[in-house]
Amino acid sequence: MNRILVAGAGPVGLTAALALARRGRRVTVLEAGDALAGQSRASTFHPPTLEMLDDLGVAGELHERGLVSPTFAYRDRRAGLVALLDLAVLAGDTRYPYRLQCEQSKLTPILLDHLLRHDGCEVHFGWPVAGIAQEPGRVTAIAADGRTLDGRWLIGADGAHSATRRALAVDFAGITYPERFLVASVHDELTGWLDGLAAVNYVYDPVEWCVLLRTPDRWRVLLPTPDGTPDSAELERLPARLLTIHDPGRPWRIAHAGMYRVHQRVAATFRAGRVLLAGDAAHVNNPLGGLGMNSGIHDAVAYAKALAGDDDAAVTAAAAERRRIALEYVQSVSHQNYERMRDADPAARAAHLETLRATAADPARARAALLKSSMIASLRPVAA
Ligand SMILES: O=C(O)CCc1cccc(O)c1
């Protein structure tokens, strides 16, 4: 009965489980799938996330699989490199003054391995949480086939389509962008194709904005697609669009391409009785800035701290604080990133690019900007 249940064995659910296990709690993770998800999705770890993973004893293994990226770049489609931001200016603020580029699918096996070293901790695959029942001091997870499991608390970290959130009838209000995002991974090595390419590059343009992002395995390209076009037509014209970024005299070698709808949504509450919502189950945002998985891991660590003490007021406060951060920081910064990259007003775009240039050239301004984009300022007060 003192067991804590976690729905979802993604990076958020497994981080919550490991953080609780390390605080001496028994945890059962219930995962709908038959195995850990293999898709690569998020791939940037920000400094405070690396600190948290270090506290959990897994940062070393993650670094063995990832790529340290001390800089990232803002570019303009026509003018090329505009500003290179160097996270080294955060050396006094974090023990990880860089981003680690690494697919989330490389973190989850590490978390699982560490979790299963703790007595009384277990993961049940093929266990989709479909319903929730609650009574004082107890929450029951109900599977689609009628199996049940009792716990003292449950963390719903079962993704954007969270069955936990639906079972609780918690509203998930927000917007869906008219554009879909097309993400292609390529076998090509982009370094050398464009001057001053960093591992993460935000390329501004009113129509053909894009992100060029390196993971340990491959380069990825994110492109917007217009509203209302068939997915098949967008995938068909992808090779021609890639040639407008750089033409190596042959087609780019596309490894994989997929399209998805982008939402900005936040759950009406992150706590309903003995259930907490975390990660994509609680909040979703566009991927620009790499805030989604990172903020989900921050939810997980904050909840584990509050739940380990079994203090009701601390649990309420953690859920409220994580919702405030989702609304005031993650939603707002990710949406601003989107609006700025595609700004159609030439004067506003030029002014913003000039601000980025000036920021990169001034260490104090760069530190202030990077404290925000690296998510440090969302978590703790920072000295000026
Ligand atoms: O801003 C970031 O760090 C990630 C942006 C991005 C780029 C390409 C694919 C993707 O899923 C996210």
Side-chain angles (χ1 to χ4, degrees):
M1 257 304 293
N2 283 331
R3 177 169 292 281
I4 295 178
L5 306 177
V6 176
V12 176
L14 288 174
T15 298
L18 180 58
L20 285 160
R22 287 174 64 97
R23 288 172 180 271
R25 302 304 302 259
R26 291 188 305 143
V27 188
T28 298
V29 180
L30 305 171
E31 166 56 43
D34 292 333
L36 296 177
Q39 303 102 312
S40 56
R41 301 186 218 175
S43 56
T44 288
F45 291 85
H46 286 299
T49 313
L50 294 171
E51 291 170 10
M52 292 174 194
L53 295 174
D54 185 32
D55 294 343
L56 296 179
V58 298
E61 284 165 75
L62 190 66
H63 275 72
E64 285 167 17
R65 292 158 179 75
L67 192 75
V68 169
S69 173
T71 60
F72 65 91
Y74 292 103
R75 305 178 66 91
D76 176 85
R77 260 288 183 138
R78 286 163 195 78
L81 181 64
V82 172
L84 189 69
L85 272 292
D86 190 341
L87 278 84
V89 295
L90 300 181
D93 298 288
T94 173
R95 48 190 197 274
Y96 295 104
Y98 51 80
R99 290 177 172 206
L100 188 77
Q101 295 298 107
C102 187
E103 296 87 347
Q104 70 177 58
S105 56
K106 294 196 166 115
L107 172 64
T108 46
I110 302 172
L111 293 169
L112 178 64
D113 174 42
H114 280 248
L115 176 67
L116 296 179
R117 294 177 198 174
H118 290 264
D119 286 342
C121 292
E122 56 192 11
V123 179
H124 296 325
F125 289 100
W127 214 110
V129 174
I132 303 277
Q134 301 199 53
E135 59 184 67
R138 173 160 65 183
V139 54
T140 303
I142 306 163
D145 61 7
R147 281 173 291 171
T148 60
L149 250 176
D150 290 342
R152 185 150 180 82
W153 298 94
L154 184 145
I155 297 177
D158 47 352
H161 301 289
S162 172
T164 306
R165 190 188 64 239
R166 286 164 200 248
L168 298 168
V170 171
D171 194 28
F172 202 38
I175 59 164
T176 301
Y177 289 168
E179 293 175 305
R180 289 143 298 155
F181 285 11
L182 197 171
V183 177
S185 60
V186 296
H187 293 294
D188 300 291
E189 174 49 68
L190 272 56
T191 312
W193 278 7
L194 298 166
D195 286 341
L197 209 59
V200 181
N201 306 269
Y202 301 103
V203 186
Y204 284 45
D205 190 86
V207 182
E208 284 287 288
W209 63 267
C210 66
V211 182
L212 304 174
L213 172 124
R214 189 184 194 142
T215 70
D217 294 347
R218 294 205 173 98
W219 278 91
R220 279 192 207 172
V221 183
L222 185 160
L223 291 156
T225 66
D227 191 17
T229 53
D231 285 13
S232 56
E234 291 301 336
L235 292 170
E236 238 168 73
R237 73 185 185 101
L238 174 63
R241 291 182 82 188
L242 293 174
L243 290 175
T244 68
I245 295 171
H246 174 76
D247 185 353
R250 56 156 176 85
W252 289 41
R253 291 179 296 138
I254 299 168
H256 177 263
M259 297 188 50
Y260 60 96
R261 289 228 159 265
V262 183
H263 310 272
Q264 301 279 121
R265 292 178 189 275
V266 177
T269 180
F270 284 11
R271 177 177 179 187
R274 308 196 72 79
V275 182
L276 293 167
L277 296 173
D280 286 359
H283 49 92
V284 289
N285 55 273
N286 79 54
L288 304 170
L291 307 180
M293 174 190 64
N294 284 272
S295 57
I297 290 175
H298 303 176
D299 296 341
V301 169
Y303 290 173
K305 193 173 168 196
L307 291 178
D310 205 35
D311 171 348
D312 198 82
V315 174
T316 298
E321 175 63 357
R322 291 310 306 165
R323 185 165 185 273
R324 182 191 70 75
I325 291 171
L327 282 167
E328 293 178 13
Y329 175 79
V330 178
Q331 294 284 302
S332 113
V333 171
S334 56
H335 189 61
Q336 195 176 64
N337 289 344
Y338 172 65
E339 292 294 13
R340 284 188 174 154
M341 287 187 68
R342 60 199 277 276
D343 199 333
D345 175 352
R349 202 170 63 256
H352 181 60
L353 292 176
E354 190 44 47
T355 302
L356 291 174
R357 254 184 225 111
T359 300
D362 174 348
R365 282 180 75 173
R367 175 174 169 265
L370 290 167
L371 282 170
K372 192 170 179 191
S373 68
S374 71
M375 309 185 82
I376 293 173
S378 76
L379 291 163
R380 53 188 185 239
V382 283

